[in-house]
Amino acid sequence: MSDMISGANPPVAEAKSGGFDASRIAEVKAWLASQFDAAGKDIPDFEYTPRSIAHLHSLATLSRAKTQAAEIVANDFRQKAAEYRSQAARIREILENVGLAQDSLPSNVVTSAQVLANVANLLNIRDTELSSFLVAMGDISLRKTGVEEKRVKVQKESKILLDYTRKAIARLTYLKRTLAQLEDDVAPCESQMENWKTNLAIMVSKERQYLQQYSNYKAILNRVGYTPEISHGMLVEMAEHRKDLEKKTKPILDTLRSYQDLPPDKALAALAIEDKKRQYAAAEKYLEDVLQSALATAE
């Protein structure tokens, strides 16, 4: 088992295997003894390990360095205090020789001197000369000017930030109002979108129906011989030719109908009928020629 009691050295085998340093352990023990003896307490039990020894040794080294620095500063302060006491005794002796001892001065003079000394300490000056006070007051005036400039700058920045804050609050209020309005418009917009979806589905169905009808009409037109060359203008022109031909053949048809009232003379009737038939055949041939020529022109 490891040694759990301070003041007892760790085993030799453990010191060799664990990498313990005997000199470090001795320094740590001496430092712990000095610190706890100064506090009037016993050293608590702990386990010696390489980690604990290293940590305590670093603390001891740091503590000794700080203690040495503190002793140097304390010695300097003690030396300065001795010098100040010696100077104070010399000044007191001089004041007593000239009859200005503190006991012989009026109370208001003593109070004024104490106030003057307090002001000198407050201004952080070494003496109470007028020049020292003037320099200190000038330094305070410069600091005051700098503080005032900083205060003006901070006020301007605060004003700018306040303006930005007001604008941000107004913008936030506007955005909240817009958000509330948009949330109110959600339900109507969703209803309108559903209506648009329904109409879109209907339009898609109608599109498929119209495409099917277009295909059927195209097949019918191909079946009847329709070609893209047959335009509306050509159909109108052929209708006008047809009307002209009907006008030309109508008198012949009327004449043929009049022969229905002929006397029962077969020979004359036969001759007249044959003549009218020839005229009717000629008119039909002329109509066919006109139609053929119109079709040929269109092609």
Side-chain angles (χ1 to χ4, degrees):
M1 292 181 63
S2 300
D3 184 10
M4 298 297 293
I5 303 175
S6 64
N9 293 325
V12 177
E14 188 180 38
K16 291 182 179 180
S17 62
F20 282 16
D21 190 349
S23 61
R24 284 193 173 189
I25 296 175
E27 291 178 6
V28 167
K29 286 185 176 182
W31 177 72
L32 289 174
S34 63
Q35 296 298 319
F36 281 94
D37 289 342
K41 294 182 180 180
D42 297 331
I43 301 175
D45 296 338
F46 67 94
E47 181 181 2
Y48 286 100
T49 62
R51 183 175 180 181
S52 64
I53 294 299
H55 183 66
L56 290 173
H57 185 268
S58 63
L59 289 177
T61 304
L62 182 61
S63 176
R64 283 195 296 269
K66 289 187 176 182
T67 302
Q68 185 177 3
E71 288 178 355
I72 293 173
V73 174
N75 291 331
D76 182 62
F77 285 162
R78 281 193 290 269
Q79 183 179 357
K80 288 181 179 180
E83 293 176 357
Y84 291 154
R85 283 194 295 270
S86 176
Q87 186 177 4
R90 186 172 63 254
I91 293 173
R92 188 182 302 109
E93 183 180 358
I94 294 171
L95 291 175
E96 290 177 353
N97 292 331
V98 297
L100 295 177
Q102 184 177 355
D103 297 336
S104 61
L105 293 175
S107 61
N108 57 350
V109 175
V110 175
T111 304
S112 300
Q114 289 178 352
V115 170
L116 189 62
N118 292 333
V119 172
N121 291 328
L122 180 63
L123 295 177
N124 195 20
I125 56 179
R126 297 177 61 88
D127 52 44
T128 58
E129 295 291 334
L130 180 60
S131 59
S132 300
F133 279 102
L134 292 177
V135 172
M137 293 301 294
D139 184 51
I140 290 177
S141 297
L142 292 176
R143 292 182 181 180
K144 179 182 177 183
T145 304
V147 171
E148 288 180 352
E149 292 177 354
K150 290 182 179 179
R151 183 174 61 83
V152 172
K153 184 178 179 180
V154 170
Q155 286 180 350
K156 290 182 179 179
E157 292 178 354
S158 300
K159 186 176 180 181
I160 294 173
L161 291 176
L162 180 61
D163 188 20
Y164 285 162
T165 304
R166 289 174 179 173
K167 291 181 179 179
I169 293 174
R171 187 66 177 175
L172 178 62
T173 304
Y174 171 75
L175 292 175
K176 286 183 178 180
R177 192 184 311 110
T178 304
L179 178 61
Q181 184 177 359
L182 291 175
E183 289 177 352
D184 294 337
D185 294 340
V186 167
C189 289
E190 288 180 350
S191 177
Q192 189 174 6
M193 287 180 63
E194 292 296 331
N195 189 17
W196 287 348
K197 287 181 180 179
T198 304
N199 294 336
L200 181 62
I202 295 173
M203 291 176 67
V204 170
S205 177
K206 289 292 184 181
E207 180 185 7
R208 288 196 296 266
Q209 180 181 354
Y210 293 153
L211 290 174
Q212 184 64 36
Q213 290 179 357
Y214 172 76
S215 300
N216 296 337
Y217 292 150
K218 188 175 181 180
I220 293 172
L221 292 175
N222 292 331
R223 190 167 55 252
V224 298
Y226 172 79
T227 58
E229 290 79 8
I230 302 176
S231 61
H232 177 70
M234 183 181 296
L235 294 175
V236 172
E237 184 178 356
M238 293 177 67
E240 291 177 353
H241 281 294
R242 182 173 177 277
K243 289 180 180 180
D244 293 339
L245 293 175
E246 286 179 352
K247 289 180 180 179
K248 292 179 179 179
T249 57
K250 185 175 180 181
I252 299 174
L253 291 175
D254 293 338
T255 304
L256 291 175
R257 290 191 186 94
S258 65
Y259 283 110
Q260 293 178 358
D261 298 330
L262 291 176
D265 187 353
K266 293 182 179 181
L268 294 175
L271 291 173
I273 291 171
E274 289 297 331
D275 184 49
K276 298 299 181 182
K277 285 182 178 180
R278 285 194 299 273
Q279 293 179 4
Y280 183 73
E284 287 183 348
K285 187 175 182 306
Y286 177 73
L287 178 60
E288 291 178 359
D289 292 340
V290 171
L291 291 175
Q292 292 295 331
S293 63
L295 293 173
T297 303
E299 293 176 358

